[in-house]
Amino acid sequence: MIAVDNIKQQIAGLEPLEALVLLADQFTGKIVFSTSFGWEDQALTHMIFANNLPIKVFTLETGRLFPETYYVWNRTMEIYGKPIYAFYPQHEPLEKMINAKGPNSFYDSVDNRKECCGVRKVEPLNRALAGNECWITGIRAEQSTNRQFMHDVEWDEQHQLVKFHPIFNWTLNEVKDYIKQNNIPYNTLHDRGFPSIGCQPCTRAVQPGEDFRAGRWWWEDQDKKECGLHELIIDNK
């Protein structure tokens, strides 16, 4: 196991970009960033691409994304001239699931929804992370109650790598200011009440006063709405 405490000491007090530069050098060729093209991810993509950091940027192409998401994906590649690697679901389990239960089985039960997330997101993520030692994400503490118990640097036991959230302590206003100051393309769904954007059938706008993630899997009656990509990590030593 990589010594997470040592990494915490190395990046203590550093700005997000400074920390990314340090980790990109430390984990040469084995550091990746996952983007879903939301505000936070676009800010980090800018840091990586504008500074030519040797960090591979990838996304999970579930096949059910919003048209606005595809637009900002394409626009980002046009502006920075850098590749964003797509990981798709494997066709056999996807076809098996849809043939047996139909294209919208995730509405029927939590188990079905988790199965769909597993096929479309979790398995592709496992392939994307395989062989790497550091995973960069756009997670922020204030995004949900569950994420407030996470840390900016963690050990991901499942994938056996270091997980780093560079803007973990940023507020949403700080993210939006950074986007504006650097003229970074962003998903216009954010302007229409979508703070968290995932697959189109599973995401709706959030009403005033609702939780940040209330628009994700809104038909489910549960407190912790996660798809399995970011499990809560208690032991981060």
Side-chain angles (χ1 to χ4, degrees):
M1 180 190 301
I2 298 169
V4 172
D5 286 341
N6 290 342
I7 294 174
K8 285 185 176 182
Q9 293 174 6
Q10 291 178 49
I11 67 174
L14 297 182
E15 293 297 320
L17 176 57
E18 295 173 327
L20 287 172
V21 170
L22 186 151
L23 293 180
D25 180 66
Q26 183 167 334
F27 296 103
T28 303
K30 294 187 177 182
I31 180 170
V32 293
F33 167 57
S34 57
T35 178
S36 57
F37 305 102
W39 269 318
E40 293 83 3
D41 293 341
Q42 286 300 101
L44 289 171
T45 295
H46 173 80
M47 291 183 197
I48 292 168
F49 284 167
N51 294 280
N52 293 311
L53 300 185
I55 298 174
K56 181 179 179 179
V57 178
F58 74 87
T59 192
L60 305 178
E61 172 36 316
T62 66
R64 303 299 295 266
L65 304 180
F66 283 89
E68 291 85 351
T69 301
Y70 289 114
Y71 174 82
V72 75
W73 177 352
N74 196 69
R75 185 66 182 135
T76 301
M77 292 181 66
E78 289 177 345
I79 290 175
Y80 297 102
K82 304 282 189 179
I84 296 175
Y85 297 90
F87 285 80
Y88 287 76
Q90 293 187 341
H91 73 91
E92 290 182 354
L94 180 61
E95 290 171 359
K96 180 180 179 180
M97 178 181 67
I98 292 177
N99 290 342
K101 300 181 179 181
N104 293 328
S105 62
F106 41 83
Y107 290 130
D108 297 334
S109 70
V110 173
D111 287 341
N112 279 356
R113 194 269 293 172
K114 289 183 176 180
E115 178 186 21
C116 187
C117 287
V119 170
R120 295 182 184 274
K121 300 171 72 174
V122 177
E123 190 281 329
L125 175 70
N126 291 340
R127 283 187 279 119
L129 295 178
N132 289 291
E133 296 180 351
C134 185
W135 174 18
I136 308 299
T137 88
I139 285 177
R140 292 186 301 108
E142 69 174 15
Q143 286 174 328
S144 71
T145 302
N146 188 34
R147 294 180 177 186
Q148 291 174 6
F149 293 97
M150 299 171 70
H151 305 270
D152 60 343
V153 181
E154 303 172 303
W155 174 254
D156 189 317
E157 183 67 25
Q158 178 181 356
H159 299 103
Q160 293 291 296
L161 45 63
V162 172
K163 198 172 180 182
F164 176 48
H165 321 300
I167 56 174
F168 187 72
N169 294 312
W170 281 22
T171 65
L172 178 58
N173 284 335
E174 286 178 304
V175 175
K176 292 165 72 173
D177 287 345
Y178 186 85
I179 293 284
K180 184 176 181 180
Q181 292 165 7
N182 292 281
N183 195 29
I184 300 169
Y186 69 93
N187 196 322
T188 56
L189 288 173
H190 288 311
D191 296 330
R192 286 145 51 191
F194 288 77
S196 176
I197 304 169
C199 292
Q200 187 171 17
C202 300
T203 312
R204 66 160 172 81
V206 171
Q207 302 304 313
E210 284 189 310
D211 180 76
F212 178 90
R213 290 180 70 81
R216 303 296 294 276
W217 313 294
W218 68 92
W219 63 91
E220 293 183 7
D221 183 19
Q222 58 179 10
D223 295 328
K224 296 179 180 180
K225 295 184 177 182
E226 299 285 356
C227 60
L229 299 186
H230 302 293
E231 298 292 347
L232 178 62
I233 300 172
I234 300 299
D235 181 8
N236 67 315
K237 295 294 182 65

